[in-house]
Amino acid sequence: MKKRPITTLFMLMSLDGKISPGANDDLDVDKNFPEIDGLKEGLHQYYEIEQTTDLWSFNTGRVQEKMGVNEKPLPDKTPVSFVLLDNSHLTEHGIGYFCAKSKDFVLITSNKAHPAFGMEKDNLHIIYQEQISLEDALVELKEKYGCERLTVQSGGTVNGLFLREKLLDYVDIVVAPVLIGGKDTSTLIDGASITERKDLDKLGILKLEKCETLEDSYVRMQYKVIG
């Protein structure tokens, strides 16, 4: 029995592994793919699958700032509990956005001056760490807040931390029929590269559990992490 939640990395990516259409923060899959012929037709399938994922969702403040949560109107309540890793990207409005949207909202931060500390919301919980430890935060999510299964949808750098720290159990990927390219464009897994043979045990070895051809040349691949 794991002391932490069972985790699933769930993402939409291009055939060459990109999770953004470009290296500029103004470019974003959610904003741009619906405008592109050949991509917009099948994009709905990703969002439909997303609605079936776990009732706990992990993301980062940086990604959500890019999505505009610091300016968006407050949303309706959902049954999903959200976990965000953030030190400096969310404003009070952004925090209020997720409190309005979430069943429970858990912020993980190492910033003592984060605006969340000055807010009083019944469903706002803060995991403060002097130095961020994803593993410790996940253990606390399970033990203190009852999170048994967690869908990870963060950016490439934090996805890389989950990989290197052996914190991923499953990978569920929807592949869009597009090649994007660009060495500075974020991929499914970014972060530090392996440079030593001795570190090859940090690879994520996968076992394919299901591969499904979707409409409009989209593909869904589901893997179990076995090493």
Side-chain angles (χ1 to χ4, degrees), residues 30-117:
D30 292 306
K31 296 176 184 177
N32 303 129
F33 275 18
E35 305 168 345
I36 302 173
D37 291 340
L39 297 181
K40 63 184 181 183
E41 293 83 359
L43 186 60
H44 66 93
Q45 298 167 106
Y46 168 74
Y47 298 113
E48 289 164 2
I49 295 169
E50 185 179 41
Q51 295 301 310
T52 69
T53 57
D54 301 312
L55 289 176
W56 283 84
S57 176
F58 179 97
N59 214 303
T60 67
R62 183 182 185 281
V63 169
Q64 293 305 311
E65 178 189 40
K66 184 177 175 181
M67 295 296 296
V69 300
N70 289 330
E71 294 83 29
K72 286 182 177 180
L74 297 183
D76 294 331
K77 182 74 69 178
T78 73
V80 179
S81 293
F82 289 89
V83 182
L84 289 190
L85 175 66
D86 182 64
N87 275 340
S88 60
H89 294 91
L90 293 180
T91 63
E92 282 195 11
H93 182 86
I95 296 294
Y97 177 95
F98 274 99
C99 288
K101 184 176 184 178
S102 307
K103 179 182 179 183
D104 283 299
F105 174 48
V106 182
L107 176 74
I108 304 170
T109 187
S110 59
N111 177 12
K112 292 181 178 179
H114 197 285
F117 284 107

Side-chain angles (χ1 to χ4, degrees), residues 164 190-196 199:
R164 298 296 187 228
D190 289 330
S193 299
I194 291 175
T195 58
E196 303 277 346
D199 292 329

Side-chain angles (χ1 to χ4, degrees), residues 1 5 33 44 67 80 120 122 125 129 149 155 192 208:
M1 181 71 69
F33 275 18
H44 66 93
M67 295 296 296
V80 179
E120 295 185 5
D122 291 342
H125 314 284
Q129 300 174 324
R149 302 188 68 92
L208 182 65

Side-chain angles (χ1 to χ4, degrees), residues 83-175:
V83 182
L84 289 190
L85 175 66
D86 182 64
N87 275 340
S88 60
H89 294 91
L90 293 180
T91 63
E92 282 195 11
H93 182 86
I95 296 294
Y97 177 95
F98 274 99
C99 288
K101 184 176 184 178
S102 307
K103 179 182 179 183
D104 283 299
F105 174 48
V106 182
L107 176 74
I108 304 170
T109 187
S110 59
N111 177 12
K112 292 181 178 179
H114 197 285
F117 284 107
M119 301 178 66
E120 295 185 5
K121 300 286 186 179
D122 291 342
N123 64 340
L124 171 61
H125 314 284
I126 301 175
I127 296 177
Y128 172 75
Q129 300 174 324
E130 289 189 3
Q131 186 170 2
I132 294 295
S133 166
L134 283 177
E135 184 171 12
D136 289 347
L138 292 182
V139 169
E140 186 167 344
L141 278 175
K142 182 173 183 177
E143 292 182 346
K144 191 170 182 179
Y145 302 108
C147 174
E148 295 289 341
R149 302 188 68 92
L150 179 70
T151 295
V152 178
Q153 293 182 279
S154 50
T157 299
V158 175
N159 290 348
L161 294 178
F162 273 89
L163 171 69
R164 298 296 187 228
E165 295 179 23
K166 301 292 184 182
L167 297 175
L168 291 177
D169 299 299
Y170 296 92
V171 179
D172 188 350
I173 300 298
V174 176
V175 180

